[in-house]
Amino acid sequence: MRIACPHCGPRGVDEFSYLGDATVTRPTDPADLDGFAAYVHERRNPAGRHRELWQHALGCQSWLVVTRDTRTHAIEAVEAARDVALARAGGES
Amino acid sequence: MPDALIARSALRPHVAPPSTPAGDVGATLREVEGLTLASVAALGGREAELAEAVRAAYGLDLPTAPKRIASGAAAFIWAGPGKWLASSTAPNADFTGLPAAVADQSDGRAVLRLSGPRAREILATLTAIDLHPRAFAPGDAAMTHAASIAIHLWQVDEAPTYEFAAFRSYAATLWRWIVHAGATRGLDARLG
């Protein structure tokens, strides 16, 4: 599998570290225990399109959001995680 | 009074053995000593200020893609978004005046230079990135690994000459991997 780092170009998967599910979001309310339990522990295991966090650990160190088909390993999109987080926050930096 | 702290090579002959070619020299491997190195990271929202300061002090435009730019003694090598490795061959060079997070790396990294007609072939046995001249040319840089050792690589000229920085504790292992890769390719490797 090769991942096209938006900063470095396509590199072998051996340069990247998998860092988890990119679809979960941290609850904003610190008292939301059910929300935190779900955020920490509950994961879907889709056969198909999935969004994942990867880090280009042996490269530019950037955190990335990779949209990947778990059945074929086909990669649909690779985005800088910072851009994804900013877009989610409404573009505030 | 204690002696001043002086950057000292990570390599010694017993950990970085020489290699002498039997026939023609295909490539040479040397350590690049005496460099001042610093990691430079832009502070949040102050990238433009840093770029302006580098332009004013060194006459260089900080690259925003994997490139190395150099002028006189100083060079800046892209090291990821908002990050650079600054290097200088000038004695007493000091990058700490830049408006950025600057950390000295002069004795934290070892820099090796591999040069000659078979340098590309030797390096290509250790690293997976495309080094073909169409894909990687003088001025291009990459952060990748060679034999699983993280390297910060850039091409200097079309000899071809490559230079790469590795964490100091990996320098001797990297040296020996290159000596192995160059054993049948006319590698001339020696320290100092």
Side-chain angles (χ1 to χ4, degrees):
Chain A
M1 196 165 86
R2 283 165 76 76
I3 295 176
C5 172
H7 309 296
C8 300
R11 296 290 177 85
V13 73
D14 55 333
E15 291 193 7
F16 297 84
S17 296
Y18 176 73
L19 292 172
D21 189 333
T23 64
V24 293
T25 51
R26 185 184 175 92
T28 50
D29 177 5
D32 179 8
L33 295 184
D34 289 344
F36 268 101
Y39 169 66
V40 172
H41 298 294
E42 292 178 13
R43 295 290 182 270
R44 296 193 324 182
N45 184 21
R49 192 173 180 275
H50 192 34
R51 280 165 72 77
E52 300 167 331
L53 287 166
W54 288 77
Q55 188 194 19
H56 194 187
L58 267 172
C60 67
Q61 316 277 321
S62 293
W63 285 58
L64 307 171
V65 175
V66 176
T67 307
R68 182 177 72 97
D69 190 313
T70 59
R71 295 166 300 186
T72 62
H73 298 312
I75 290 173
E76 187 182 306
V78 184
E79 304 149 89
R82 182 176 188 273
D83 295 343
V84 173
L86 287 173
R88 188 185 281 163
E92 300 158 25
S93 60
Chain B
M1 208 173 124
D3 293 336
L5 294 173
I6 297 167
R8 193 161 172 253
S9 169
L11 299 171
R12 295 287 179 280
H14 65 285
V15 292
S19 169
T20 306
D24 293 342
V25 174
T28 57
L29 176 66
R30 298 286 185 273
E31 184 183 17
V32 185
E33 288 194 86
L35 290 178
T36 298
L37 297 172
S39 56
V40 176
L43 301 169
R46 294 175 61 185
E47 288 86 349
E49 184 187 345
L50 172 61
E52 186 51 47
V54 169
R55 199 174 296 121
Y58 303 101
L60 291 169
D61 288 319
L62 275 181
T64 54
K67 299 278 181 190
R68 173 186 186 265
I69 48 155
S71 171
F76 285 81
I77 307 125
W78 183 89
K83 298 184 291 183
W84 295 268
L85 181 67
S87 92
S88 177
T89 56
N92 306 317
D94 185 0
F95 293 102
T96 56
L98 293 172
V102 179
D104 184 71
Q105 304 290 345
S106 303
D107 58 358
R109 313 278 171 96
V111 178
L112 303 182
R113 176 184 292 141
L114 182 64
S115 180
R118 300 191 79 177
R120 179 176 292 117
E121 187 184 335
I122 291 169
L123 190 55
T125 65
L126 302 174
T127 188
I129 65 166
D130 188 357
L131 296 172
H132 189 281
R134 277 198 305 266
F136 201 81
D140 283 341
M143 307 188 80
T144 183
H145 65 92
S148 298
I149 298 166
I151 59 165
H152 197 170
L153 166 73
W154 56 92
Q155 186 172 341
V156 178
D157 62 31
E158 286 171 353
T161 299
Y162 301 96
E163 292 181 352
F164 31 93
F167 292 123
R168 142 183 211 106
S169 54
Y170 287 98
T173 308
L174 181 60
W175 177 281
R176 292 198 296 270
W177 270 109
I178 297 165
V179 166
H180 279 296
T184 58
R185 298 181 173 95
L187 180 68
D188 165 17
R190 57 190 152 80
L191 292 171

